[in-house]
Amino acid sequence: DAGITQSPRHKVTETGTPVTLRCHQTENHRYMYWYRQDPGHGLRLIHYSYGVKDTDKGEVSDGYSVSRSKTEDFLLTLESATSSQTSVYFCAITRDPQETQYFGPGTRLLVL
Amino acid sequence: EDKVVQSPLSLVVHEGDTVTLNCSYEVTNFRSLLWYKQEKKAPTFLFMLTSSGIEKKSGRLSSILDKKELFSILNITATQTGDSAVYLCAVPNNAGNMLTFGGGTRLMVKP
């Protein structure tokens, strides 16, 4: 299995508070991705990174920001959490974006 | 805009049945199509298909791609309860820097 961890694994927070999710990899892969998964929507890309300090928006980036200061870490921040951001968040990595991505275990976020 | 549509949305079968899951796609510059299995956790990789008509096989699972008709199928023979999962397909986008996922097919295999 690819060495990907996510933290925290579960989080409950209140509307309006900032939240940061962390994805950490030990594979030295260049590409890292943040997805959210909601019933009826499948996996939707939030942001991705193609290198240190190189990031770009995905399909559902509003309300989220990311940072990648080291190859191994990709952070997702909800600046001011809303109930619509209640979801399961997956991080994924790949050496080549045209090939398979390897997924982390997911973070379950509940915004009250 | 790239698009991936999976059917059926959900499926209930009994152990021993054979199932066929469908994935149709529209992408400007086709590179590959990937299948994943997702149980109550992260998706895990099953197959990557790049060429039409060449079957990929792993145990009771197999998949084939039709680049002319723009679809792929995933077959599972002699289903078991452990096959119960959501099956996802995905294609790289035109720029080749991200995957577009379908909505998934939820398969339930009853004993």
PDB file of all heavy atoms in Angstrom, chain B residues 32-67:
ATOM      1  N   SER B  32      -6.568   6.974 -20.861  1.00  0.00           N
ATOM      2  CA  SER B  32      -6.764   5.705 -20.163  1.00  0.00           C
ATOM      3  C   SER B  32      -8.073   5.767 -19.408  1.00  0.00           C
ATOM      4  O   SER B  32      -8.689   6.832 -19.278  1.00  0.00           O
ATOM      5  CB  SER B  32      -5.615   5.424 -19.193  1.00  0.00           C
ATOM      6  OG  SER B  32      -5.548   6.426 -18.193  1.00  0.00           O
ATOM      7  N   LEU B  33      -8.521   4.620 -18.943  1.00  0.00           N
ATOM      8  CA  LEU B  33      -9.704   4.542 -18.083  1.00  0.00           C
ATOM      9  C   LEU B  33      -9.347   3.643 -16.917  1.00  0.00           C
ATOM     10  O   LEU B  33      -8.727   2.580 -17.110  1.00  0.00           O
ATOM     11  CB  LEU B  33     -10.894   3.981 -18.860  1.00  0.00           C
ATOM     12  CG  LEU B  33     -12.233   3.938 -18.117  1.00  0.00           C
ATOM     13  CD1 LEU B  33     -13.376   4.248 -19.075  1.00  0.00           C
ATOM     14  CD2 LEU B  33     -12.460   2.618 -17.436  1.00  0.00           C
ATOM     15  N   LEU B  34      -9.726   4.060 -15.737  1.00  0.00           N
ATOM     16  CA  LEU B  34      -9.368   3.324 -14.526  1.00  0.00           C
ATOM     17  C   LEU B  34     -10.614   2.889 -13.780  1.00  0.00           C
ATOM     18  O   LEU B  34     -11.614   3.608 -13.740  1.00  0.00           O
ATOM     19  CB  LEU B  34      -8.507   4.187 -13.611  1.00  0.00           C
ATOM     20  CG  LEU B  34      -7.197   4.682 -14.218  1.00  0.00           C
ATOM     21  CD1 LEU B  34      -7.299   6.124 -14.659  1.00  0.00           C
ATOM     22  CD2 LEU B  34      -6.059   4.531 -13.229  1.00  0.00           C
ATOM     23  N   TRP B  35     -10.533   1.712 -13.179  1.00  0.00           N
ATOM     24  CA  TRP B  35     -11.595   1.190 -12.318  1.00  0.00           C
ATOM     25  C   TRP B  35     -11.058   1.070 -10.889  1.00  0.00           C
ATOM     26  O   TRP B  35      -9.932   0.610 -10.669  1.00  0.00           O
ATOM     27  CB  TRP B  35     -12.054  -0.186 -12.778  1.00  0.00           C
ATOM     28  CG  TRP B  35     -12.975  -0.184 -13.965  1.00  0.00           C
ATOM     29  CD1 TRP B  35     -12.628  -0.404 -15.274  1.00  0.00           C
ATOM     30  CD2 TRP B  35     -14.388   0.014 -13.956  1.00  0.00           C
ATOM     31  NE1 TRP B  35     -13.756  -0.341 -16.068  1.00  0.00           N
ATOM     32  CE2 TRP B  35     -14.839  -0.096 -15.293  1.00  0.00           C
ATOM     33  CE3 TRP B  35     -15.337   0.269 -12.949  1.00  0.00           C
ATOM     34  CZ2 TRP B  35     -16.181   0.040 -15.653  1.00  0.00           C
ATOM     35  CZ3 TRP B  35     -16.662   0.409 -13.311  1.00  0.00           C
ATOM     36  CH2 TRP B  35     -17.083   0.295 -14.641  1.00  0.00           C
ATOM     37  N   TYR B  36     -11.927   1.464  -9.944  1.00  0.00           N
ATOM     38  CA  TYR B  36     -11.609   1.359  -8.522  1.00  0.00           C
ATOM     39  C   TYR B  36     -12.753   0.647  -7.807  1.00  0.00           C
ATOM     40  O   TYR B  36     -13.900   0.717  -8.222  1.00  0.00           O
ATOM     41  CB  TYR B  36     -11.465   2.746  -7.882  1.00  0.00           C
ATOM     42  CG  TYR B  36     -10.264   3.531  -8.317  1.00  0.00           C
ATOM     43  CD1 TYR B  36     -10.289   4.280  -9.489  1.00  0.00           C
ATOM     44  CD2 TYR B  36      -9.106   3.551  -7.548  1.00  0.00           C
ATOM     45  CE1 TYR B  36      -9.189   5.026  -9.881  1.00  0.00           C
ATOM     46  CE2 TYR B  36      -8.003   4.290  -7.939  1.00  0.00           C
ATOM     47  CZ  TYR B  36      -8.054   5.026  -9.102  1.00  0.00           C
ATOM     48  OH  TYR B  36      -6.961   5.764  -9.493  1.00  0.00           O
ATOM     49  N   LYS B  37     -12.404   0.021  -6.689  1.00  0.00           N
ATOM     50  CA  LYS B  37     -13.391  -0.567  -5.782  1.00  0.00           C
ATOM     51  C   LYS B  37     -13.325   0.196  -4.463  1.00  0.00           C
ATOM     52  O   LYS B  37     -12.237   0.428  -3.937  1.00  0.00           O
ATOM     53  CB  LYS B  37     -13.067  -2.043  -5.530  1.00  0.00           C
ATOM     54  CG  LYS B  37     -14.001  -2.728  -4.540  1.00  0.00           C
ATOM     55  CD  LYS B  37     -13.553  -4.173  -4.301  1.00  0.00           C
ATOM     56  CE  LYS B  37     -14.498  -4.872  -3.336  1.00  0.00           C
ATOM     57  NZ  LYS B  37     -14.061  -6.261  -3.052  1.00  0.00           N
ATOM     58  N   GLN B  38     -14.487   0.591  -3.952  1.00  0.00           N
ATOM     59  CA  GLN B  38     -14.505   1.302  -2.675  1.00  0.00           C
ATOM     60  C   GLN B  38     -15.470   0.624  -1.714  1.00  0.00           C
ATOM     61  O   GLN B  38     -16.681   0.627  -1.934  1.00  0.00           O
ATOM     62  CB  GLN B  38     -14.899   2.766  -2.869  1.00  0.00           C
ATOM     63  CG  GLN B  38     -14.814   3.557  -1.591  1.00  0.00           C
ATOM     64  CD  GLN B  38     -15.137   5.023  -1.767  1.00  0.00           C
ATOM     65  OE1 GLN B  38     -15.805   5.400  -2.724  1.00  0.00           O
ATOM     66  NE2 GLN B  38     -14.654   5.854  -0.850  1.00  0.00           N
ATOM     67  N   GLU B  39     -14.892   0.050  -0.684  1.00  0.00           N
ATOM     68  CA  GLU B  39     -15.707  -0.480   0.406  1.00  0.00           C
ATOM     69  C   GLU B  39     -15.865   0.649   1.417  1.00  0.00           C
ATOM     70  O   GLU B  39     -15.878   1.810   1.047  1.00  0.00           O
ATOM     71  CB  GLU B  39     -15.042  -1.735   0.959  1.00  0.00           C
ATOM     72  CG  GLU B  39     -14.958  -2.833  -0.116  1.00  0.00           C
ATOM     73  CD  GLU B  39     -14.115  -4.012   0.291  1.00  0.00           C
ATOM     74  OE1 GLU B  39     -14.643  -4.947   0.911  1.00  0.00           O
ATOM     75  OE2 GLU B  39     -12.906  -3.999  -0.037  1.00  0.00           O
ATOM     76  N   LYS B  40     -15.946   0.347   2.690  1.00  0.00           N
ATOM     77  CA  LYS B  40     -16.226   1.451   3.615  1.00  0.00           C
ATOM     78  C   LYS B  40     -14.961   2.226   3.957  1.00  0.00           C
ATOM     79  O   LYS B  40     -14.689   2.529   5.116  1.00  0.00           O
ATOM     80  CB  LYS B  40     -16.873   0.907   4.882  1.00  0.00           C
ATOM     81  CG  LYS B  40     -18.276   0.394   4.627  1.00  0.00           C
ATOM     82  CD  LYS B  40     -18.941  -0.064   5.905  1.00  0.00           C
ATOM     83  CE  LYS B  40     -20.348  -0.562   5.610  1.00  0.00           C
ATOM     84  NZ  LYS B  40     -21.027  -1.037   6.815  1.00  0.00           N
ATOM     85  N   LYS B  41     -14.191   2.521   2.962  1.00  0.00           N
ATOM     86  CA  LYS B  41     -12.924   3.217   3.182  1.00  0.00           C
ATOM     87  C   LYS B  41     -12.472   3.817   1.860  1.00  0.00           C
ATOM     88  O   LYS B  41     -13.288   4.151   1.020  1.00  0.00           O
ATOM     89  CB  LYS B  41     -11.883   2.250   3.735  1.00  0.00           C
ATOM     90  CG  LYS B  41     -11.819   0.934   2.986  1.00  0.00           C
ATOM     91  CD  LYS B  41     -10.925  -0.096   3.649  1.00  0.00           C
ATOM     92  CE  LYS B  41     -11.049  -1.412   2.897  1.00  0.00           C
ATOM     93  NZ  LYS B  41     -10.024  -2.330   2.906  1.00  0.00           N
ATOM     94  N   ALA B  42     -11.155   3.934   1.680  1.00  0.00           N
ATOM     95  CA  ALA B  42     -10.633   4.591   0.485  1.00  0.00           C
ATOM     96  C   ALA B  42     -10.771   3.701  -0.753  1.00  0.00           C
ATOM     97  O   ALA B  42     -10.728   2.483  -0.657  1.00  0.00           O
ATOM     98  CB  ALA B  42      -9.162   4.937   0.703  1.00  0.00           C
ATOM     99  N   PRO B  43     -10.930   4.319  -1.925  1.00  0.00           N
ATOM    100  CA  PRO B  43     -10.945   3.533  -3.166  1.00  0.00           C
ATOM    101  C   PRO B  43      -9.620   2.801  -3.365  1.00  0.00           C
ATOM    102  O   PRO B  43      -8.550   3.337  -3.054  1.00  0.00           O
ATOM    103  CB  PRO B  43     -11.127   4.605  -4.256  1.00  0.00           C
ATOM    104  CG  PRO B  43     -11.706   5.779  -3.563  1.00  0.00           C
ATOM    105  CD  PRO B  43     -11.142   5.743  -2.176  1.00  0.00           C
ATOM    106  N   THR B  44      -9.720   1.588  -3.884  1.00  0.00           N
ATOM    107  CA  THR B  44      -8.510   0.834  -4.226  1.00  0.00           C
ATOM    108  C   THR B  44      -8.529   0.514  -5.708  1.00  0.00           C
ATOM    109  O   THR B  44      -9.578   0.223  -6.281  1.00  0.00           O
ATOM    110  CB  THR B  44      -8.395  -0.460  -3.408  1.00  0.00           C
ATOM    111  OG1 THR B  44      -9.603  -1.223  -3.591  1.00  0.00           O
ATOM    112  CG2 THR B  44      -8.210  -0.180  -1.942  1.00  0.00           C
ATOM    113  N   PHE B  45      -7.382   0.543  -6.298  1.00  0.00           N
ATOM    114  CA  PHE B  45      -7.232   0.397  -7.739  1.00  0.00           C
ATOM    115  C   PHE B  45      -7.517  -1.032  -8.194  1.00  0.00           C
ATOM    116  O   PHE B  45      -7.079  -1.995  -7.557  1.00  0.00           O
ATOM    117  CB  PHE B  45      -5.797   0.788  -8.111  1.00  0.00           C
ATOM    118  CG  PHE B  45      -5.427   0.537  -9.543  1.00  0.00           C
ATOM    119  CD1 PHE B  45      -5.952   1.320 -10.545  1.00  0.00           C
ATOM    120  CD2 PHE B  45      -4.539  -0.468  -9.870  1.00  0.00           C
ATOM    121  CE1 PHE B  45      -5.599   1.098 -11.867  1.00  0.00           C
ATOM    122  CE2 PHE B  45      -4.173  -0.699 -11.177  1.00  0.00           C
ATOM    123  CZ  PHE B  45      -4.707   0.083 -12.178  1.00  0.00           C
ATOM    124  N   LEU B  46      -8.267  -1.166  -9.292  1.00  0.00           N
ATOM    125  CA  LEU B  46      -8.521  -2.471  -9.886  1.00  0.00           C
ATOM    126  C   LEU B  46      -7.789  -2.631 -11.217  1.00  0.00           C
ATOM    127  O   LEU B  46      -6.970  -3.525 -11.389  1.00  0.00           O
ATOM    128  CB  LEU B  46     -10.025  -2.676 -10.111  1.00  0.00           C
ATOM    129  CG  LEU B  46     -10.917  -2.776  -8.886  1.00  0.00           C
ATOM    130  CD1 LEU B  46     -12.380  -2.834  -9.292  1.00  0.00           C
ATOM    131  CD2 LEU B  46     -10.540  -3.982  -8.044  1.00  0.00           C
ATOM    132  N   PHE B  47      -8.141  -1.794 -12.188  1.00  0.00           N
ATOM    133  CA  PHE B  47      -7.600  -1.931 -13.550  1.00  0.00           C
ATOM    134  C   PHE B  47      -7.335  -0.571 -14.167  1.00  0.00           C
ATOM    135  O   PHE B  47      -8.027   0.402 -13.862  1.00  0.00           O
ATOM    136  CB  PHE B  47      -8.611  -2.625 -14.486  1.00  0.00           C
ATOM    137  CG  PHE B  47      -9.005  -4.003 -14.087  1.00  0.00           C
ATOM    138  CD1 PHE B  47     -10.295  -4.263 -13.656  1.00  0.00           C
ATOM    139  CD2 PHE B  47      -8.102  -5.055 -14.167  1.00  0.00           C
ATOM    140  CE1 PHE B  47     -10.683  -5.548 -13.305  1.00  0.00           C
ATOM    141  CE2 PHE B  47      -8.472  -6.340 -13.815  1.00  0.00           C
ATOM    142  CZ  PHE B  47      -9.773  -6.585 -13.380  1.00  0.00           C
ATOM    143  N   MET B  48      -6.384  -0.565 -15.081  1.00  0.00           N
ATOM    144  CA  MET B  48      -6.220   0.566 -15.980  1.00  0.00           C
ATOM    145  C   MET B  48      -6.272   0.033 -17.406  1.00  0.00           C
ATOM    146  O   MET B  48      -5.575  -0.938 -17.734  1.00  0.00           O
ATOM    147  CB  MET B  48      -4.897   1.297 -15.764  1.00  0.00           C
ATOM    148  CG  MET B  48      -4.765   2.519 -16.653  1.00  0.00           C
ATOM    149  SD  MET B  48      -3.363   3.556 -16.259  1.00  0.00           S
ATOM    150  CE  MET B  48      -2.042   2.708 -17.074  1.00  0.00           C
ATOM    151  N   LEU B  49      -7.099   0.647 -18.240  1.00  0.00           N
ATOM    152  CA  LEU B  49      -7.299   0.205 -19.620  1.00  0.00           C
ATOM    153  C   LEU B  49      -6.873   1.315 -20.555  1.00  0.00           C
ATOM    154  O   LEU B  49      -7.239   2.480 -20.355  1.00  0.00           O
ATOM    155  CB  LEU B  49      -8.779  -0.117 -19.854  1.00  0.00           C
ATOM    156  CG  LEU B  49      -9.364  -1.167 -18.914  1.00  0.00           C
ATOM    157  CD1 LEU B  49     -10.851  -0.992 -18.788  1.00  0.00           C
ATOM    158  CD2 LEU B  49      -9.037  -2.548 -19.444  1.00  0.00           C
ATOM    159  N   THR B  50      -6.122   0.947 -21.575  1.00  0.00           N
ATOM    160  CA  THR B  50      -5.697   1.942 -22.557  1.00  0.00           C
ATOM    161  C   THR B  50      -6.040   1.525 -23.979  1.00  0.00           C
ATOM    162  O   THR B  50      -6.144   2.377 -24.856  1.00  0.00           O
ATOM    163  CB  THR B  50      -4.189   2.186 -22.473  1.00  0.00           C
ATOM    164  OG1 THR B  50      -3.510   0.932 -22.625  1.00  0.00           O
ATOM    165  CG2 THR B  50      -3.805   2.798 -21.137  1.00  0.00           C
ATOM    166  N   SER B  51      -6.220   0.239 -24.224  1.00  0.00           N
ATOM    167  CA  SER B  51      -6.437  -0.237 -25.591  1.00  0.00           C
ATOM    168  C   SER B  51      -7.781  -0.916 -25.720  1.00  0.00           C
ATOM    169  O   SER B  51      -8.202  -1.658 -24.831  1.00  0.00           O
ATOM    170  CB  SER B  51      -5.333  -1.242 -25.971  1.00  0.00           C
ATOM    171  OG  SER B  51      -4.069  -0.636 -25.857  1.00  0.00           O
ATOM    172  N   SER B  52      -8.434  -0.698 -26.847  1.00  0.00           N
ATOM    173  CA  SER B  52      -9.732  -1.319 -27.099  1.00  0.00           C
ATOM    174  C   SER B  52      -9.584  -2.818 -27.250  1.00  0.00           C
ATOM    175  O   SER B  52      -8.631  -3.306 -27.860  1.00  0.00           O
ATOM    176  CB  SER B  52     -10.328  -0.784 -28.406  1.00  0.00           C
ATOM    177  OG  SER B  52     -11.142   0.314 -28.172  1.00  0.00           O
ATOM    178  N   GLY B  53     -10.591  -3.539 -26.735  1.00  0.00           N
ATOM    179  CA  GLY B  53     -10.716  -4.960 -27.021  1.00  0.00           C
ATOM    180  C   GLY B  53      -9.788  -5.877 -26.255  1.00  0.00           C
ATOM    181  O   GLY B  53      -9.894  -7.086 -26.379  1.00  0.00           O
ATOM    182  N   ILE B  54      -8.903  -5.317 -25.459  1.00  0.00           N
ATOM    183  CA  ILE B  54      -7.988  -6.183 -24.699  1.00  0.00           C
ATOM    184  C   ILE B  54      -8.527  -6.303 -23.279  1.00  0.00           C
ATOM    185  O   ILE B  54      -8.634  -5.310 -22.556  1.00  0.00           O
ATOM    186  CB  ILE B  54      -6.566  -5.599 -24.690  1.00  0.00           C
ATOM    187  CG1 ILE B  54      -6.048  -5.550 -26.122  1.00  0.00           C
ATOM    188  CG2 ILE B  54      -5.660  -6.431 -23.795  1.00  0.00           C
ATOM    189  CD1 ILE B  54      -4.697  -4.900 -26.266  1.00  0.00           C
ATOM    190  N   GLU B  55      -8.870  -7.528 -22.908  1.00  0.00           N
ATOM    191  CA  GLU B  55      -9.463  -7.746 -21.592  1.00  0.00           C
ATOM    192  C   GLU B  55      -8.385  -7.766 -20.520  1.00  0.00           C
ATOM    193  O   GLU B  55      -7.343  -8.412 -20.661  1.00  0.00           O
ATOM    194  CB  GLU B  55     -10.232  -9.064 -21.584  1.00  0.00           C
ATOM    195  CG  GLU B  55     -10.995  -9.304 -20.286  1.00  0.00           C
ATOM    196  CD  GLU B  55     -11.703 -10.656 -20.285  1.00  0.00           C
ATOM    197  OE1 GLU B  55     -11.031 -11.679 -20.488  1.00  0.00           O
ATOM    198  OE2 GLU B  55     -12.931 -10.669 -20.072  1.00  0.00           O
ATOM    199  N   LYS B  56      -8.683  -7.054 -19.429  1.00  0.00           N
ATOM    200  CA  LYS B  56      -7.820  -7.154 -18.252  1.00  0.00           C
ATOM    201  C   LYS B  56      -8.557  -8.045 -17.252  1.00  0.00           C
ATOM    202  O   LYS B  56      -9.772  -7.920 -17.082  1.00  0.00           O
ATOM    203  CB  LYS B  56      -7.578  -5.778 -17.640  1.00  0.00           C
ATOM    204  CG  LYS B  56      -6.744  -4.858 -18.498  1.00  0.00           C
ATOM    205  CD  LYS B  56      -5.315  -4.892 -18.103  1.00  0.00           C
ATOM    206  CE  LYS B  56      -4.473  -3.979 -18.973  1.00  0.00           C
ATOM    207  NZ  LYS B  56      -3.760  -2.980 -18.213  1.00  0.00           N
ATOM    208  N   LYS B  57      -7.805  -8.928 -16.592  1.00  0.00           N
ATOM    209  CA  LYS B  57      -8.471  -9.910 -15.737  1.00  0.00           C
ATOM    210  C   LYS B  57      -7.710 -10.036 -14.420  1.00  0.00           C
ATOM    211  O   LYS B  57      -6.474 -10.031 -14.388  1.00  0.00           O
ATOM    212  CB  LYS B  57      -8.496 -11.248 -16.467  1.00  0.00           C
ATOM    213  CG  LYS B  57      -9.519 -12.228 -15.970  1.00  0.00           C
ATOM    214  CD  LYS B  57      -9.631 -13.394 -16.949  1.00  0.00           C
ATOM    215  CE  LYS B  57     -10.441 -14.523 -16.362  1.00  0.00           C
ATOM    216  NZ  LYS B  57     -11.838 -14.181 -16.116  1.00  0.00           N
ATOM    217  N   SER B  58      -8.489 -10.152 -13.348  1.00  0.00           N
ATOM    218  CA  SER B  58      -7.891 -10.415 -12.048  1.00  0.00           C
ATOM    219  C   SER B  58      -8.866 -11.279 -11.272  1.00  0.00           C
ATOM    220  O   SER B  58      -9.878 -10.793 -10.762  1.00  0.00           O
ATOM    221  CB  SER B  58      -7.621  -9.098 -11.307  1.00  0.00           C
ATOM    222  OG  SER B  58      -7.141  -9.362 -10.004  1.00  0.00           O
ATOM    223  N   GLY B  59      -8.591 -12.561 -11.227  1.00  0.00           N
ATOM    224  CA  GLY B  59      -9.497 -13.487 -10.546  1.00  0.00           C
ATOM    225  C   GLY B  59     -10.862 -13.505 -11.217  1.00  0.00           C
ATOM    226  O   GLY B  59     -10.970 -13.751 -12.413  1.00  0.00           O
ATOM    227  N   ARG B  60     -11.882 -13.179 -10.431  1.00  0.00           N
ATOM    228  CA  ARG B  60     -13.247 -13.206 -10.969  1.00  0.00           C
ATOM    229  C   ARG B  60     -13.646 -11.884 -11.617  1.00  0.00           C
ATOM    230  O   ARG B  60     -14.755 -11.749 -12.139  1.00  0.00           O
ATOM    231  CB  ARG B  60     -14.221 -13.532  -9.833  1.00  0.00           C
ATOM    232  CG  ARG B  60     -14.030 -14.911  -9.229  1.00  0.00           C
ATOM    233  CD  ARG B  60     -14.939 -15.145  -8.018  1.00  0.00           C
ATOM    234  NE  ARG B  60     -14.562 -14.256  -6.907  1.00  0.00           N
ATOM    235  CZ  ARG B  60     -15.213 -13.148  -6.605  1.00  0.00           C
ATOM    236  NH1 ARG B  60     -16.276 -12.769  -7.303  1.00  0.00           N
ATOM    237  NH2 ARG B  60     -14.812 -12.408  -5.579  1.00  0.00           N
ATOM    238  N   LEU B  61     -12.760 -10.901 -11.564  1.00  0.00           N
ATOM    239  CA  LEU B  61     -13.051  -9.593 -12.149  1.00  0.00           C
ATOM    240  C   LEU B  61     -12.356  -9.462 -13.488  1.00  0.00           C
ATOM    241  O   LEU B  61     -11.217  -9.908 -13.654  1.00  0.00           O
ATOM    242  CB  LEU B  61     -12.552  -8.470 -11.227  1.00  0.00           C
ATOM    243  CG  LEU B  61     -13.445  -8.039 -10.071  1.00  0.00           C
ATOM    244  CD1 LEU B  61     -13.592  -9.132  -9.036  1.00  0.00           C
ATOM    245  CD2 LEU B  61     -12.938  -6.764  -9.449  1.00  0.00           C
ATOM    246  N   SER B  62     -13.061  -8.854 -14.432  1.00  0.00           N
ATOM    247  CA  SER B  62     -12.449  -8.569 -15.728  1.00  0.00           C
ATOM    248  C   SER B  62     -13.049  -7.275 -16.262  1.00  0.00           C
ATOM    249  O   SER B  62     -14.148  -6.871 -15.887  1.00  0.00           O
ATOM    250  CB  SER B  62     -12.679  -9.717 -16.709  1.00  0.00           C
ATOM    251  OG  SER B  62     -14.059  -9.882 -16.967  1.00  0.00           O
ATOM    252  N   SER B  63     -12.301  -6.652 -17.156  1.00  0.00           N
ATOM    253  CA  SER B  63     -12.759  -5.381 -17.709  1.00  0.00           C
ATOM    254  C   SER B  63     -12.277  -5.251 -19.130  1.00  0.00           C
ATOM    255  O   SER B  63     -11.207  -5.774 -19.496  1.00  0.00           O
ATOM    256  CB  SER B  63     -12.239  -4.217 -16.865  1.00  0.00           C
ATOM    257  OG  SER B  63     -12.765  -2.996 -17.346  1.00  0.00           O
ATOM    258  N   ILE B  64     -13.055  -4.542 -19.924  1.00  0.00           N
ATOM    259  CA  ILE B  64     -12.702  -4.334 -21.321  1.00  0.00           C
ATOM    260  C   ILE B  64     -13.128  -2.933 -21.723  1.00  0.00           C
ATOM    261  O   ILE B  64     -14.037  -2.350 -21.134  1.00  0.00           O
ATOM    262  CB  ILE B  64     -13.345  -5.426 -22.204  1.00  0.00           C
ATOM    263  CG1 ILE B  64     -12.642  -5.513 -23.551  1.00  0.00           C
ATOM    264  CG2 ILE B  64     -14.831  -5.201 -22.356  1.00  0.00           C
ATOM    265  CD1 ILE B  64     -12.865  -6.836 -24.245  1.00  0.00           C
ATOM    266  N   LEU B  65     -12.437  -2.413 -22.714  1.00  0.00           N
ATOM    267  CA  LEU B  65     -12.649  -1.042 -23.166  1.00  0.00           C
ATOM    268  C   LEU B  65     -13.059  -1.031 -24.632  1.00  0.00           C
ATOM    269  O   LEU B  65     -12.525  -1.826 -25.432  1.00  0.00           O
ATOM    270  CB  LEU B  65     -11.339  -0.263 -22.990  1.00  0.00           C
ATOM    271  CG  LEU B  65     -11.268   1.183 -23.475  1.00  0.00           C
ATOM    272  CD1 LEU B  65     -12.132   2.087 -22.620  1.00  0.00           C
ATOM    273  CD2 LEU B  65      -9.808   1.660 -23.462  1.00  0.00           C
ATOM    274  N   ASP B  66     -13.996  -0.156 -24.975  1.00  0.00           N
ATOM    275  CA  ASP B  66     -14.388   0.053 -26.369  1.00  0.00           C
ATOM    276  C   ASP B  66     -14.194   1.533 -26.678  1.00  0.00           C
ATOM    277  O   ASP B  66     -15.015   2.367 -26.324  1.00  0.00           O
ATOM    278  CB  ASP B  66     -15.849  -0.369 -26.576  1.00  0.00           C
ATOM    279  CG  ASP B  66     -16.277  -0.303 -28.041  1.00  0.00           C
ATOM    280  OD1 ASP B  66     -15.768   0.573 -28.780  1.00  0.00           O
ATOM    281  OD2 ASP B  66     -17.129  -1.105 -28.445  1.00  0.00           O
ATOM    282  N   LYS B  67     -13.094   1.860 -27.320  1.00  0.00           N
ATOM    283  CA  LYS B  67     -12.769   3.265 -27.577  1.00  0.00           C
ATOM    284  C   LYS B  67     -13.601   3.855 -28.698  1.00  0.00           C
ATOM    285  O   LYS B  67     -13.725   5.069 -28.800  1.00  0.00           O
ATOM    286  CB  LYS B  67     -11.278   3.404 -27.892  1.00  0.00           C
ATOM    287  CG  LYS B  67     -10.414   3.224 -26.656  1.00  0.00           C
ATOM    288  CD  LYS B  67      -8.964   2.989 -26.997  1.00  0.00           C
ATOM    289  CE  LYS B  67      -8.266   4.240 -27.451  1.00  0.00           C
ATOM    290  NZ  LYS B  67      -6.816   3.999 -27.619  1.00  0.00           N
TER     291      LYS B  67
END
